[in-house]
Amino acid sequence: MPTPRVQILVCTNERERGAKKPSCGHRGGGDLYRSFKDAVKTAGLRDEVIVTRTGCLKHCSHGCIVGVWPYNLWYAGVTRNDVAEVIETTVGGDGRPVERLKLPEEAAWE
């Protein structure tokens, strides 16, 4: 595989049920990861984009969290319904952000 030009990080961290902090895994992180993988494949971008599931990305209260590199974009509250827009706008738009999904600047690293 050629070196990817974009990496999409999808939090799939799962804490124990009833934990004080929420986790992206319980909010659909695994399904979101698979949706990104499918969308990249469908768009014919498998040689350009790698989708990686991760552990905690430190913004649990804003999950599901997605990071897009090399653009250093952090998205919060991402759902499967947002995947096509992220692929089209950010990946296909050379780093143009999806403004409504951007993690607030003032969000604390938890």
Side-chain angles (χ1 to χ4, degrees), residues 58-88:
K58 305 295 183 203
H59 288 287
C60 310
S61 61
H62 298 279
C64 287
I65 299 297
V66 172
V68 185
W69 292 93
Y71 309 119
N72 196 24
L73 286 172
W74 292 90
Y75 292 138
V78 181
T79 69
R80 293 171 58 191
N81 294 331
D82 301 315
V83 170
E85 187 175 5
V86 171
I87 296 295
E88 181 180 322

Side-chain angles (χ1 to χ4, degrees), residues 84-107:
E85 187 175 5
V86 171
I87 296 295
E88 181 180 322
T89 303
T90 302
V91 176
D94 291 324
R96 198 170 76 239
V98 177
E99 293 293 335
R100 67 181 179 77
L101 294 176
K102 283 177 64 177
L103 183 70
E105 291 284 331
E106 65 277 0

Side-chain angles (χ1 to χ4, degrees), residues 37-49:
K37 294 280 284 183
D38 291 345
V40 165
K41 182 179 178 181
T42 298
L45 298 172
R46 287 178 59 186
D47 288 343
E48 297 178 48
V49 180

